[in-house]
Amino acid sequence: MGDASIVAERSAGPATAEGRTPVSLAALLANLGPLLALLLAMAFFASRSDRFLTGANLSLVIQQSMVVGVLAIGQTLIILTAGIDLSCGAIMALGGVVMARLAVINGVHPILAIALGVLTGAAFGALNGVLVTNIQLPPFIVTLGTLNIAFAITHIYSQNQTITNVPAALTFFGNTFRVGSTAITYGTVLMFVLFGLTWFVLRYTAFGRHVYAVGNNPEAVRLAGININLLLLLVYTAAGLLYGIASLLSVARTGVGDPNAGQTDNLASITAVVLGGTSLFGGRGKVLGTLVGVLIVGVFRNGLQLIGVESVYQVLVTGILVILAVTVDQFARRRQQ
Amino acid sequence: MSDTTSNPTPVLEARGLVKRYGHVTALDGADFALYPSEILAIIGDNGAGKSTLIKALSGAITPDEGEILLDGQSVRFRGPLDARRHGIETVYQDLAVAPALDIAENIFLGREIRLAGPLGFAFRMLDKRRMRREASDHMRDLNIGIRSMRQAVETLSGGQRQGVAVARAAAFARHVVIMDEPTAALGVKESHMVLGLIRQVRDRGLPVILISHNMPQVFDVADRVHIQRLGKRVAVVEPRNFKMSDAVAIMTGAMAGEAISRG
Ligand SMILES: Nc1ncnc2c1ncn2[C@@H]1O[C@H](COP(=O)(O)OP(=O)(O)OP(=O)(O)O)[C@@H](O)[C@H]1O
Ligand SMILES: [Mg+2]
């Protein structure tokens, strides 16, 4: 059938050497923008302060970012599915109080206490997942509800008391080891490992690709025979598990079980995700971008402090960056439609 | 392709399908038969029950009454996935692709191939290279000229996207490919390309069910035309020896359906 051999017209523009079509400037900005912003910020602060680029200071920046960093991994998973999680910080505080109280007041073995605290996070994540899938409520409303529930439980359970004198196992990830003259916190290593693991899962497993697809076009995922409810339940539970791990890092960093921990971390994690170039509309983004987003916030906080700028300006700068990031995302999306 | 009389067993057949939605009877004892290696078009006015018919045939709905036979065997589909397991693939009107994923990922969505060995087993790692290679083979089989399977589907033209959806259906269909209005959103040139793809699928031995409102296209590409009216099949005609205007007259009720050629 000669007449049937119709070759599709070529899409706009020649292919590059790797066989990829060139991307628009907006798409390029969305891809490389976050890293560029991080490098520019670092260059700026390095030029203004001799202390900024020292190993000790950079290690501190990362250590201050590790709790929000791990929360932001879970937040990235959920935002990729076109959801949002307002409850992550509250769940993290609850997990921290659970492990600290169990270990300190109930005398539970520290390792078991840690496991139960982390599992509390996973259970709350699963609750979010069930509400989003089975009752089909919008994630924003569900997590606004569980934010308040987790917050209340935390305060009732802890009787508003900060739990001190936690056993050494709970603060292990706050300890440091030395590379040359620089002290590195174990917790930051754990954070990097979790980012790497999530990167692998999102990029190289069917589950990861389905996370993108469901945020992109849920109907296509359903028609492909994929169980969307199970997929979303797994995503929310995995996010909860990550919040539980963040509980441990928070306890390790501060040395206490604090019922008031993480109250602004939900917005901080969303900020990091958006700064990292992940689309709030779902289906597009990279977890390593989130790592860059976390570091951008950390670098600004630390850098502005070093050059003696009032901390309220950090908030101002973060706000401007978020608006910028969302604008770039909007343009990139519009170009692609 | 046109000589279906030599093969009496339909690949896919339906007898007396009834589907009611409250007071509306979408299918009112509809019959249907699809023979090997043919393009069967379904035409009918709005509300005639075309979409409901193919939903029943693709497992998306369960009919209230009637029987569906695949290769002469009675079957009941429990869902789209079940019909797909029986080798029936559907190209939906809205295409059902994930625009941000690349071509290979879309073709293998829900049917990904894992690496052999421990990486695939323990780490569930995908064999992306193999998926890209096979996707590329499928696209080449249909003469869809796209060079890189890593291209995101959203960067493709409308016709090329349709090509991806057709390639996915053709790659996995063992029995039947169903297409609901595949050219509705396309320009003249791209429609022409998609009609070419449909012919190629048929020429590779897969029968195709095509729903379309575009009469010239239907009469250009179809081997037989199933005319649906008020929830029933009222006629089956062969475009080679039937006038388009008469088919439209049957479709609208201006002319009685002639003796149905089969069944
Ligand atoms: N889910 C539903 N609920 C209620 N009524 C329905 C439903 N699906 C179809 N119908 C009704 O059944 C009848 C047949 O609909 P169907 O979609 O099969 O027609 P169609 O031939 O595909 O029409 P069109 O050419 O407009 O796509 C219509 O009267 C329609 O309103
Ligand atoms: Mg229809």
Side-chain angles (χ1 to χ4, degrees), chain A residues 225-238:
Chain A
I226 297 159
N227 186 339
I228 291 191
N229 280 1
L230 181 64
L231 179 68
L232 289 179
L233 184 63
L234 282 173
V235 166
Y236 280 90
T237 308

Side-chain angles (χ1 to χ4, degrees), chain A residues 32-58:
Chain A
L32 287 181
L35 197 59
L36 214 65
L38 177 63
L39 292 177
L40 281 177
M42 289 179 69
F44 173 76
F45 289 120
S47 74
R48 303 297 290 281
S49 159
D50 292 339
R51 274 189 36 219
F52 180 76
L53 269 189
T54 59
N57 187 55
L58 291 180

Side-chain angles (χ1 to χ4, degrees), chain B residues 45-47 49-52 54-55 93 180-181 211 213:
Chain B
D45 250 343
N46 295 113
K50 304 181 296 293
S51 293
T52 310
I54 65 139
K55 279 180 189 158
Q93 188 170 352
D180 197 353
E181 307 248 9
I211 294 190
H213 279 127

Side-chain angles (χ1 to χ4, degrees), chain A residues 43-304:
Chain A
F44 173 76
F45 289 120
S47 74
R48 303 297 290 281
S49 159
D50 292 339
R51 274 189 36 219
F52 180 76
L53 269 189
T54 59
N57 187 55
L58 291 180
S59 176
L60 178 70
V61 168
I62 298 170
Q63 190 225 310
Q64 286 171 337
S65 306
M66 70 188 183
V67 174
V68 169
V70 173
L71 291 175
I73 298 174
Q75 189 73 257
T76 305
L77 292 175
I78 289 173
I79 289 180
L80 281 176
T81 68
I84 191 119
D85 192 347
L86 300 178
S87 66
C88 57
I91 292 176
M92 181 207 70
L94 177 60
V97 165
V98 166
M99 59 182 75
R101 271 190 80 92
L102 285 177
V104 174
I105 295 176
N106 305 89
V108 172
H109 188 280
I111 301 297
L112 184 60
I114 289 171
L116 289 172
V118 172
L119 282 180
T120 304
F124 248 90
L127 174 66
N128 280 336
V130 167
L131 293 171
V132 167
T133 56
N134 285 31
I135 313 188
Q136 305 215 320
L137 300 172
F140 183 89
I141 303 297
V142 166
T143 57
L144 185 61
T146 51
L147 154 69
N148 287 296
I149 295 169
F151 180 82
I153 294 177
T154 304
H155 283 260
I156 296 164
Y157 177 60
S158 68
Q159 295 157 11
N160 287 331
Q161 301 292 309
T162 297
I163 302 110
T164 52
N165 296 321
V166 300
L170 271 70
T171 55
F172 167 79
F173 282 107
N175 297 342
T176 58
F177 62 96
R178 293 203 155 271
V179 175
S181 60
T182 307
I184 293 171
T185 316
Y186 285 109
T188 64
V189 176
L190 179 62
M191 176 187 79
F192 283 119
V193 168
L194 291 172
F195 267 106
L197 205 70
T198 309
W199 170 80
F200 175 86
V201 168
L202 282 177
R203 198 178 160 91
Y204 289 106
T205 71
F207 171 79
R209 302 322 291 168
H210 296 170
V211 168
Y212 281 91
V214 83
N216 228 225
N217 185 354
E219 186 61 10
V221 174
R222 193 185 68 79
L223 290 171
I226 297 159
N227 186 339
I228 291 191
N229 280 1
L230 181 64
L231 179 68
L232 289 179
L233 184 63
L234 282 173
V235 166
Y236 280 90
T237 308
L241 189 69
L242 286 160
Y243 305 155
I245 295 172
S247 308
L248 179 60
L249 293 186
S250 174
V251 172
R253 200 165 75 82
T254 58
V256 296
D258 177 7
N260 290 310
Q263 286 188 6
T264 57
D265 283 1
N266 51 3
L267 296 186
S269 66
I270 294 168
T271 301
V273 173
V274 171
L275 284 181
T278 293
S279 170
L280 279 175
F281 301 94
R284 268 165 245 275
K286 296 184 175 68
V287 74
L288 293 188
T290 298
L291 176 58
V292 173
V294 169
L295 293 178
I296 290 174
V297 176
V299 160
F300 269 100
R301 180 179 44 213
N302 171 275
L304 290 173

Side-chain angles (χ1 to χ4, degrees), chain A residues 1 4 9 204 209-210 216, chain B residues 100 105 112 126 160 200 203:
Chain A
M1 294 292 285
E9 68 188 84
Y204 289 106
R209 302 322 291 168
H210 296 170
N216 228 225
Chain B
E105 289 174 332
E112 289 84 356
L126 295 176
Q160 289 174 324
Q200 287 183 64
D203 292 346

